[in-house]
C-alpha cells in the first residue's frame, strides 16, 4: 500500500526534467531579449546622431520668445539698467513641415514664418535715451532672412541678427512688430510672458502638444492643423525669474518604431513561455507519446527571438504595422512548417495548424496591447488570465502522477 502511495505522489522524473530544461531555455532566451533590447538602443543612438547632423545644418528645435527692451538711465549717483518684457504679445506662425532624409532615417524639419506684435509698458525714459530691443530665438542659425522690425511704428534699421538699437523719447506704451522666417527641427516652442496669444497653422497632420499650457483650440483643417493658445498674465506670472513658461508643438512622433519594438520585447518572455507551454501541453496530452527534443525547443525559442530583430530591421524601411505583419507571418510560418515537417513528421495536421493559430492569436494580441498604451497593463493581465484558463482546460484529463506517464 505504501509503495502505491509513493508512486502516486512522485512526479515522473522525465516530465520534471523536461520542465527544468524548458525553464533553463527561458532563462537563456531572456538574456537574448536583453541583447535585442541593447540593439534597439544602439539603433536609437544612430537615429539620434542622424537628427543631430540635420540640426547642425538646418537648425535645432526653436523657441520663440517675446520682445525685450533694455536701456540704461544715468542719474546723479549711478547708472540704472531697466529691462522690460513685452506685456501683450500676439504671434502668428505658419509652419511648413517636411521630412529630411539622412541615411535610412527621416527627420521632421520645418520652415516657419513668424509675425509677432507686442507692446511694452515702461517707465518713461528721458528723450534720446539709447535702448536695445531684442527678441528671443533659441538657435539664430536657423534664420532664413533678415528680420523686419517695427519699433514704435517706425522701421528699425540699426539691427543685427535679433537685436536692434532704438531711441526712446519718454513713451509709456511702445508697440512693436517683427516679421521673420526661421528653420528648425522636431519641435516649435513659444514662450508665455505677460498676456500672450499664439496662432499656429501647419501642414503637419499629427502634432503633439506639450509644455505648461494646453491649446485653447486645435483642429484639423484642409491643409493640415490649426492651433490657438491664449494665456493671461495671471497664468504666466512665475516667481522664479530664471524660468519662463511655454507651450510646444512637436512634429515628431514620440512613440516611434524603436519604442514600439521595445514594447514588444518587454512582452517577449511571456509570449515565448506561452509558446513553450503549448508544445509542452501537446507532449503531455498526445496519445502517440510524441516527444519534442530539447534542441527542438531551443530552435523554436530562437525563432521567436529572431522575430524582434526582423521587426526592428524591417520597420526602419516601411510602416511599423506592415513590418509587424511581415515579421509575424515569417515567424508563424517558420514554426508551423517546422512543426508539421519535423516534429509531427507530417502525421498530424491538427497540431501544426493549432500552433499556427495560437501564434497568430499571440502576435495579434501583442500588436493590440502595444498600441493600447495606457490600457496595455489591463489588456496584458486579462490575456494572461485567459491563457491560464486555456491551459487548465487542455490539461484537465492529464494524470500527472501516473507512474507510466511518459
Amino acid at each position: 500500500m505504501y509503495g502505491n502511495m509513493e508512486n502516486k505522489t512522485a512526479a515522473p522524473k522525465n516530465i520534471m526534467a523536461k520542465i527544468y530544461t524548458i525553464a533553463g531555455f527561458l532563462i537563456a532566451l531572456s538574456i537574448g531579449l536583453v541583447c535585442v533590447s541593447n540593439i534597439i538602443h544602439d539603433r536609437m543612438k544612430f537615429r539620434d546622431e542622424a537628427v543631430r547632423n540635420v540640426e547642425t545644418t538646418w537648425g535645432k528645435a526653436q523657441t520663440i520668445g517675446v520682445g525685450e527692451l533694455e536701456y540704461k538711465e544715468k542719474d546723479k549717483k549711478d547708472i540704472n539698467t531697466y529691462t522690460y518684457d513685452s506685456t501683450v504679445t500676439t504671434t502668428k506662425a505658419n509652419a511648413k513641415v517636411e521630412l529630411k532624409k539622412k541615411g535610412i532615417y527621416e527627420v521632421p524639419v520645418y520652415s516657419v514664418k513668424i509675425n509677432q506684435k507686442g507692446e511694452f509698458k515702461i517707465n518713461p525714459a528721458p528723450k534720446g535715451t539709447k535702448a536695445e530691443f531684442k527678441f528671443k530665438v533659441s538657435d539664430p542659425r536657423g534664420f532664413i532672412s533678415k528680420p523686419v522690425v517695427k519699433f514704435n511704428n517706425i522701421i528699425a534699421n540699426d539691427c543685427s541678427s535679433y537685436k536692434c538699437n532704438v531711441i526712446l523719447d519718454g513713451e509709456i506704451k511702445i508697440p512693436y512688430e517683427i516679421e521673420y522666417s526661421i528653420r528648425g527641427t522636431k519641435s516649435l516652442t513659444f514662450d508665455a510672458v505677460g498676456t500672450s496669444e499664439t496662432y499656429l497653422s501647419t501642414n503637419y497632420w499629427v502634432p503633439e502638444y506639450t509644455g505648461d499650457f494646453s491649446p485653447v483650440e486645435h483642429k484639423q483643417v484642409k491643409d493640415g492643423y490649426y492651433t490657438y493658445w491664449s494665456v493671461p498674465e495671471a497664468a504666466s506670472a512665475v516667481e522664479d525669474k530664471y524660468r519662463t513658461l511655454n507651450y510646444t508643438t512637436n512634429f515628431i512622433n514620440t512613440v516611434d518604431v524603436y519604442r514600439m519594438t521595445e514594447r514588444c520585447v518587454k512582452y517577449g518572455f511571456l509570449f515565448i513561455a506561452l509558446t513553450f507551454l503549448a508544445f509542452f501541453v501537446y507532449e503531455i496530452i498526445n496519445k502517440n507519446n510524441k516527444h519534442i527534443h530539447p534542441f527542438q525547443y531551443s530552435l523554436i525559442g530562437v525563432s521567436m527571438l529572431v522575430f524582434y530583430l526582423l521587426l526592428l530591421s524591417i520597420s526602419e524601411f516601411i510602416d511599423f504595422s506592415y513590418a509587424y505583419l511581415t515579421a509575424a507571418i515569417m515567424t508563424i510560418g517558420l514554426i508551423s512548417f517546422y512543426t508539421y515537417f519535423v516534429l509531427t513528421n507530417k502525421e498530424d495536421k491538427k497540431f501544426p495548424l493549432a500552433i499556427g493559430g495560437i501564434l497568430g492569436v499571440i502576435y495579434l494580441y501583442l500588436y493590440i496591447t502595444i498600441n493600447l498604451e495606457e490600457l496595455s497593463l489591463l489588456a496584458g493581465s486579462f490575456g494572461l488570465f485567459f491563457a491560464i484558463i486555456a491551459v487548465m482546460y487542455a490539461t484537465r484529463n492529464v494524470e500527472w502522477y501516473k507512474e507510466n506517464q511518459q
Side-chain angles (χ1 to χ4, degrees):
M1 181 178 69
Y2 294 105
N4 292 336
M5 289 180 64
E6 184 178 355
N7 290 336
K8 290 181 180 180
T9 57
K13 294 181 180 180
N14 61 330
I15 292 181
M16 293 306 299
K18 182 62 68 67
I19 292 175
Y20 294 145
T21 302
I22 293 174
F25 283 141
L26 286 173
I27 294 174
L29 291 171
S30 297
I31 299 174
L33 288 171
V34 173
C35 294
V36 172
S37 182
N38 290 335
I39 293 174
I40 294 173
H41 286 103
D42 287 340
R43 301 304 294 179
M44 292 175 71
K45 290 179 181 178
F46 289 138
R47 189 272 316 275
D48 293 341
E49 182 63 28
V51 172
R52 284 192 291 269
N53 288 336
V54 171
E55 288 177 338
T56 301
T57 56
W58 188 271
K60 297 181 179 180
Q62 295 288 2
T63 298
I64 307 300
V66 302
E68 183 180 283
L69 185 64
E70 182 178 287
Y71 65 90
K72 296 179 179 180
E73 182 180 323
K74 187 175 182 180
D75 60 15
K76 295 180 180 180
K77 296 181 179 180
D78 203 352
I79 296 178
N80 299 318
T81 301
Y82 297 90
T83 302
Y84 297 92
D85 289 322
S86 175
T87 53
V88 179
T89 309
T90 300
T91 305
K92 295 182 179 179
N94 190 346
K96 182 180 179 181
V97 184
E98 57 185 293
L99 296 176
K100 193 173 182 66
K101 292 279 290 186
K102 185 66 176 179
I104 64 172
Y105 303 103
E106 292 183 334
V107 183
V109 299
Y110 59 85
S111 301
V112 58
K113 185 176 181 180
I114 301 292
N115 177 279
Q116 186 178 91
K117 295 180 180 181
E119 182 182 79
F120 295 104
K121 292 181 180 180
I122 68 173
N123 294 324
K127 288 187 177 183
T129 300
K130 294 181 179 180
E132 184 179 68
F133 168 73
K134 53 187 176 181
F135 50 97
K136 174 186 173 183
V137 290
S138 57
D139 188 5
R141 294 176 303 166
F143 276 121
I144 299 174
S145 59
K146 184 179 180 179
V148 177
V149 178
K150 283 185 178 181
F151 185 82
N152 202 10
N153 299 315
I154 299 174
I155 295 178
N157 294 316
D158 187 9
C159 296
S160 174
S161 188
Y162 54 96
K163 298 180 181 179
C164 296
N165 295 318
V166 295
I167 302 296
L168 304 180
D169 286 323
E171 301 93 343
I172 297 176
K173 293 184 179 180
I174 305 176
Y176 73 89
E177 182 177 356
I178 315 167
E179 284 191 2
Y180 59 92
S181 295
I182 197 167
R183 300 190 300 191
T185 306
K186 297 190 300 183
S187 65
L188 179 61
T189 299
F190 299 92
D191 283 344
V193 178
T195 299
S196 62
E197 289 186 316
T198 301
Y199 303 83
L200 173 64
S201 299
T202 174
N203 63 330
Y204 196 73
W205 290 96
V206 199
E208 181 191 61
Y209 305 108
T210 56
D212 298 298
F213 300 100
S214 298
V216 175
E217 181 183 2
H218 60 96
K219 60 183 178 181
Q220 186 172 314
V221 294
K222 181 180 179 181
D223 298 325
Y225 236 81
Y226 166 81
T227 312
Y228 167 63
W229 291 268
S230 179
V231 181
E233 183 179 3
S236 64
V238 290
E239 295 182 358
D240 187 355
K241 64 178 181 179
Y242 298 105
R243 180 172 181 258
T244 301
L245 302 182
N246 56 49
Y247 34 88
T248 300
T249 299
N250 297 306
F251 300 117
I252 185 170
N253 190 359
T254 55
V255 186
D256 57 13
V257 296
Y258 298 109
R259 296 191 184 278
M260 295 290 280
T261 305
E262 193 172 34
R263 285 183 184 178
C264 292
V265 172
K266 290 179 180 179
Y267 290 91
F269 178 85
L270 174 61
F271 291 134
I272 293 175
L274 289 176
T275 304
F276 277 4
L277 184 60
F279 281 98
F280 179 70
V281 169
Y282 168 72
E283 284 191 83
I284 298 299
I285 65 177
N286 181 30
K287 296 180 180 179
N288 297 324
N289 294 326
K290 179 67 178 178
H291 296 293
I292 302 175
H293 193 273
F295 180 72
Q296 294 172 321
Y297 271 104
S298 67
L299 287 179
I300 294 168
V302 171
S303 299
M304 297 193 71
L305 199 61
V306 172
F307 162 79
Y308 300 103
L309 292 177
L310 288 171
L311 175 61
L312 175 62
S313 58
I314 298 173
S315 63
E316 288 185 330
F317 295 93
I318 63 175
D319 182 77
F320 181 83
S321 299
Y322 294 114
Y324 188 95
L325 179 63
T326 302
I329 290 175
M330 292 174 66
T331 304
I332 294 171
L334 175 62
I335 295 177
S336 298
F337 280 109
Y338 183 74
T339 303
Y340 178 67
F341 287 104
V342 179
L343 299 186
T344 64
N345 292 322
K346 298 187 287 186
E347 296 175 359
D348 184 2
K349 295 182 180 180
K350 292 183 179 179
F351 181 63
L353 290 174
I355 284 296
I358 291 172
L359 290 174
V361 171
I362 285 176
Y363 284 116
L364 176 62
Y365 174 71
L366 175 59
Y367 181 77
I368 294 173
T369 302
I370 63 174
N371 280 281
L372 287 177
E373 297 186 6
E374 291 87 355
L375 299 177
S376 59
L377 178 60
L378 180 64
S381 57
F382 268 87
L384 184 59
F385 178 76
F386 288 116
I388 293 173
I389 293 177
V391 174
M392 287 180 173
Y393 179 80
T395 59
R396 65 192 185 281
N397 296 323
V398 175
E399 298 182 27
W400 295 96
Y401 292 104
K402 191 174 181 179
E403 185 180 10
N404 61 355
Q405 179 76 43
Q406 298 297 322

